[in-house]
Amino acid sequence: MNPIFLIGYMGSGKSTVGRLLAKHLRLQFIDLDAWIENRYRKSIHDLFAEYGETGFREIEHKNLIEISEFQDVVVATGGGAACYHQNMEWMNAHGFTIYLSASVDMLVDRLKTGKSKRPLISQKSTAEMERFIRESLLQREPYYRQALLLIKSTSEAPEKLAEHIAEEILRFESRS
């Protein structure tokens, strides 16, 4: 099976749902950010600090291309991965893309506690973070909406959401 790529904004549940989805489908799970951190032996925050966003996006792109050659994997991409270097087109051509969509309120609520690990929002107040998320979602949405499947991330248990996505993938695969 070609790779399954989960895309969406940070905090939408890509890693949590991705792990569960991979388990449900009996596939390997890869978190692209963790993959990069292991390869470079630095945190995403440190890579942003060292290379800037442009340099980090180059690193992310190269690693995404490498991972897209794998079979039988579920890949949780970084929140911005779909929006740079024609990555969205690449993922659609080499795998199955799923957009986990979440409301701004849900994203703010989820991101408030762990924002120090997220370079784009680490120094922002809650109000600034909400404004930033709203504005960047407007810019990213056209890329995210190119996914083959759109799933609304809800407060539903991640296990139920993963099960629902697995059913949708199998339904889509049976039509192909």
Side-chain angles (χ1 to χ4, degrees):
M1 176 183 272
N2 287 336
I4 297 168
F5 296 102
L6 296 176
I7 63 166
Y9 206 78
M10 62 180 139
S12 63
K14 299 179 303 288
S15 295
T16 302
V17 172
R19 276 186 194 86
L20 294 164
L21 179 61
K23 184 177 179 182
H24 192 76
L25 295 173
R26 294 185 178 103
L27 303 174
Q28 181 185 354
F29 173 73
I30 298 173
D31 182 298
L32 182 59
D33 284 347
W35 176 275
I36 292 168
E37 287 177 337
N38 287 335
R39 168 133 322 149
Y40 287 82
R41 300 194 187 283
K42 294 180 182 178
S43 70
I44 297 299
H45 195 278
D46 289 346
L47 289 167
F48 259 81
E50 186 173 339
Y51 298 104
E53 185 170 9
T54 303
F56 173 76
R57 297 300 177 192
E58 282 292 326
I59 291 168
E60 183 179 56
H61 174 70
K62 288 176 188 172
N63 284 274
L64 177 67
I65 299 302
E66 179 182 344
I67 289 171
S68 69
E69 299 299 321
F70 299 168
Q71 293 291 305
D72 302 324
V73 294
V74 173
V75 180
T77 65
C83 309
Y84 296 89
H85 302 288
Q86 289 82 39
N87 287 342
M88 196 63 224
E89 292 87 353
W90 181 268
M91 288 184 288
N92 276 333
H94 293 85
F96 187 87
T97 51
I98 301 167
Y99 170 29
L100 284 183
S101 169
S103 71
V104 172
D105 290 340
M106 180 180 282
L107 293 170
V108 169
D109 190 53
R110 288 179 177 177
L111 292 168
K112 276 191 287 195
T113 55
K115 72 178 189 172
S116 64
K117 294 184 279 185
R118 303 193 183 257
L120 295 176
I121 60 169
S122 63
Q123 302 300 313
K124 296 187 182 327
S125 69
T126 301
E128 292 169 329
M129 188 172 64
E130 181 177 348
R131 193 169 32 259
F132 177 81
I133 291 169
R134 193 173 306 284
E135 290 170 3
S136 57
L137 257 180
L138 282 174
Q139 294 170 351
R140 292 177 176 191
E141 193 75 17
Y143 296 97
Y144 294 159
R145 290 212 171 261
Q146 294 173 39
L148 299 173
L149 181 62
L150 184 144
I151 299 287
K152 290 223 181 263
S153 186
T154 63
S155 55
E156 173 179 41
E159 294 85 6
K160 285 281 192 198
L161 191 55
E163 188 177 312
H164 170 70
I165 293 170
E167 290 168 3
E168 290 293 322
I169 290 169
L170 295 173
R171 196 176 354 248
F172 190 88
E173 292 285 319
S174 70
R175 288 183 290 195
S176 300

